[in-house]
Amino acid sequence: MQTELSKKLGVEHALFGFTPFPAVVAAISRAGGFGVLGAVRYTAPDDLKRDLDWIEAHVDGMPYGLDVVMPAKKVEGVTEADVEAMIPEGHRQYVKDTLAKYGVPELAEGEASGWRITGWMEQVARNQLDVAFDYPIKLLANALGSPPADVIQRAHDQNVLVAALAGSARHARKHAEAGIDIVVAQGYEAGGHTGDIASMVLTPEVVEAVAPLPVLAAGGIGSGQQMAAALTLGAQGVWLGSIWLTVTEADMHSRALTRKLLDAGSGDTVRSRALTGKPARQLRTEWTDAWDDPNGPGTLPMPLQGLLVADAVSRIQRHEVEPLLGTPVGQIVGRMNSERSVQEVVDDLTRDFEKAVDRLNRIAGRSPE
């Protein structure tokens, strides 16, 4: 599965795997794809350094990248305490009441909550980059659009390609004007923050809007046939995230959550503001239902919602309270029905990709090469 972009990056397959798990990053790259480490949870630079050291020791010299969350526009002088002070007391009480309804225990004394809004602040991302640019990363991706101009220049000075996610052709054109190298066209079906346009419509629109920049297709892709479709639509590769959540190398810390993912169908996700304040596709749970309930207070805008629910989400995950337990995941969760290694996933994807291409060749009256 070779394209101009995969050849440029020196990988066997034009298959880009986004994941928060270092072991999965290394396994994807060793399997011939391109692993990308999600950095949002690394609020301490030393933690990121530790995991990049681990990837370097286990990636067998194959290329990999980093995904950060960095706003293009800087907000000066705003601290986490400033943001927290803006949260209405009624919303805090709603969180307490919902957790009490399901008997969710407190965290142990001294146990810190997980993801917090600090991971979305620009200075945190800049600290991450100060660490990452000491490593031979080949790609820097940004989940909040184009990174600031000085970051793009810094990456280019170190021969690092820059990618940005887009949910519309208009967003994609802005990325091209900002000087990024790769656009990730993320469709409505994708896990996490998504727009309103499905991948089948979005991908060719973005390809046309930013030509000749390479485009990666994301959202609703979890089989070789779907990868072939993405390349037929003009993409130079695929960007996969959800499918790695149930691989054996993933450190989910929750067997209950893994079981829920394996049991879920493609209709068991919802696009909800419950996690961050922006629409993000995730497993539908009684937690997302509570925030979508018209009798509730409704969600707060980003970044307030994320800070409001950070401790609650950590408690739900730590104690595996199944009715409330969820995670960002795309509609492709319906295909994630068994635990496989990264190598097995890549083998299945590429084998089925070949079969799909052979079928298209037969339809077109051409014999497979």
Side-chain angles (χ1 to χ4, degrees):
M1 186 177 166
Q2 286 277 305
T3 65
E4 183 180 344
L5 179 60
S6 66
K7 293 175 182 176
K8 183 175 184 177
L9 286 167
V11 295
E12 182 180 359
H13 308 301
L15 186 163
F16 294 72
F18 164 79
T19 173
F21 306 119
V24 179
V25 171
I28 291 169
S29 291
R30 289 198 308 269
F34 189 99
V36 181
L37 178 67
V40 69
R41 66 191 178 95
Y42 294 100
T43 54
D46 286 347
D47 291 342
L48 178 60
K49 183 179 186 304
R50 176 201 64 216
D51 283 355
L52 288 175
D53 282 340
W54 191 95
I55 290 172
E56 273 292 299
H58 293 84
V59 79
D60 292 351
M62 302 306 294
Y64 62 94
L66 189 76
D67 179 281
V68 298
V69 178
M70 175 177 279
K73 295 181 180 179
K74 187 173 184 177
V75 179
E76 298 282 358
V78 177
T79 66
E80 183 176 333
D82 296 329
V83 176
E84 188 158 359
M86 299 169 65
I87 297 173
E89 185 56 38
H91 281 73
R92 295 186 188 279
Q93 189 61 48
Y94 188 70
V95 170
K96 292 177 182 177
D97 292 345
T98 304
L99 295 177
K101 177 181 176 181
Y102 291 91
V104 181
E106 298 280 353
L107 294 174
E109 186 175 350
E111 184 177 357
S113 64
W115 176 85
R116 295 184 69 83
I117 194 60
T118 47
W120 294 73
M121 292 179 136
E122 179 184 349
Q123 190 54 52
V124 173
R126 288 186 178 275
N127 292 341
Q128 292 167 349
L129 294 178
D130 287 342
V131 172
F133 283 136
D134 286 336
Y135 292 81
I137 63 171
K138 299 299 182 184
L139 176 71
L140 172 66
N142 190 36
L144 284 184
S146 302
D150 68 296
V151 172
I152 296 175
Q153 186 59 56
R154 184 179 178 188
H156 287 167
D157 288 345
Q158 297 195 204
N159 295 317
V160 175
L161 297 180
V162 180
L165 276 66
S168 71
R170 177 175 61 86
H171 292 155
R173 280 190 287 267
K174 288 185 177 180
H175 296 337
E177 292 166 1
I180 63 97
D181 306 290
I182 302 165
V183 175
V184 181
Q186 180 167 285
Y188 173 81
E189 309 95 324
H193 295 123
T194 64
D196 300 306
I197 306 172
S199 298
M200 182 65 74
V201 175
L202 178 66
T203 301
E205 286 185 353
V206 171
V207 168
E208 182 177 346
V210 302
L213 285 183
V215 172
L216 300 176
I221 302 172
S223 72
Q225 295 91 335
Q226 290 160 331
M227 293 198 307
L231 268 62
T232 302
L233 294 173
Q236 285 203 31
V238 294
W239 179 273
L240 310 180
S242 297
I243 199 169
W244 313 112
L245 291 174
T246 54
V247 295
T248 54
E249 294 91 342
D251 187 10
M252 288 292 286
H253 298 296
S254 173
R255 290 303 305 170
L257 181 53
T258 298
R259 286 195 303 271
K260 289 187 78 170
L261 289 167
L262 294 172
D263 291 342
S266 56
D268 292 328
T269 69
V270 63
R271 196 162 160 264
S272 170
R273 297 177 184 268
L275 186 61
T276 68
K278 283 191 174 183
R281 186 169 298 285
Q282 54 202 282
L283 278 182
R284 181 177 180 178
T285 66
E286 294 185 35
W287 177 255
T288 61
D289 286 350
W291 285 103
D292 292 335
D293 187 341
N295 295 318
T299 56
L300 297 170
M302 181 187 275
L304 301 181
Q305 182 72 15
L307 187 56
L308 170 67
V309 305
D311 287 347
V313 170
S314 293
R315 288 167 59 185
I316 292 165
Q317 292 175 343
R318 173 68 180 82
H319 297 289
E320 296 191 320
V321 183
E322 293 206 32
L324 306 179
L325 188 62
T327 185
V329 69
Q331 291 179 330
I332 202 64
V333 70
R335 296 188 66 91
M336 296 156 49
N337 48 28
S338 65
E339 291 184 80
R340 297 173 289 165
S341 69
V342 167
Q343 185 67 63
E344 288 174 315
V345 171
V346 173
D347 286 347
D348 287 345
L349 290 170
T350 54
R351 181 169 50 248
D352 289 344
F353 172 81
E354 286 189 37
K355 291 178 181 178
V357 172
D358 288 347
R359 180 172 182 271
L360 288 174
N361 280 327
R362 288 194 299 272
I363 291 171
R366 302 184 184 95
S367 298
E369 293 183 2

